[in-house]
Amino acid sequence: MLNSKQRKYLKSLANTMDPKINIGKNGISENLITQINDTLTASELVKIKILNNSLEDHNEMINEIIEKTNSDLVSHMGNKFVIFKQSKEQIIKLP
């Protein structure tokens, strides 16, 4: 669980990032979860964009992704959200 200081720091890092993963009309699949997990392992911080053609509720999708990847939600604004999962290598040093 992230505290407010850590969340603020991670938001500042994610501010300049482009979304690495897009979720479209197919929604959440096992391949998508694997792709998110791989990206989290490589960089710990991932920005994800939910495309307009997605028919599912954004909040439900975000909660499902967080649960399946065992990650923390950093921020959610509109159709983009950022998640974080600390890896063993600790690429990002949290305050």
Side-chain angles (χ1 to χ4, degrees), residues 5-37:
K5 191 174 189 178
Q6 292 169 333
R7 193 175 311 276
K8 184 177 178 181
Y9 175 71
L10 292 171
K11 275 185 186 181
S12 70
L13 292 177
N15 194 25
T16 58
M17 289 175 56
D18 291 326
K20 293 185 180 180
I21 297 173
N22 293 317
I23 301 174
K25 63 182 176 182
N26 295 333
I28 299 172
S29 64
E30 287 304 315
N31 288 337
L32 179 70
I33 297 298
T34 303
Q35 182 182 8
I36 293 171
N37 274 325

Side-chain angles (χ1 to χ4, degrees), residues 49-86:
K49 181 177 181 180
I50 302 173
L51 301 176
N52 291 333
N53 62 357
S54 176
L55 302 174
E56 297 181 42
D57 180 53
H58 291 192
N59 291 328
E60 289 177 13
M61 291 175 76
I62 293 168
N63 289 333
E64 184 178 347
I65 289 170
I66 289 171
E67 182 181 312
K68 288 186 176 182
T69 60
N70 196 25
S71 59
D72 292 310
L73 180 66
V74 175
S75 69
H76 172 218
M77 183 164 234
N79 61 348
K80 295 178 186 170
F81 64 100
V82 179
I83 57 176
F84 173 78
K85 183 177 180 180
Q86 188 83 47

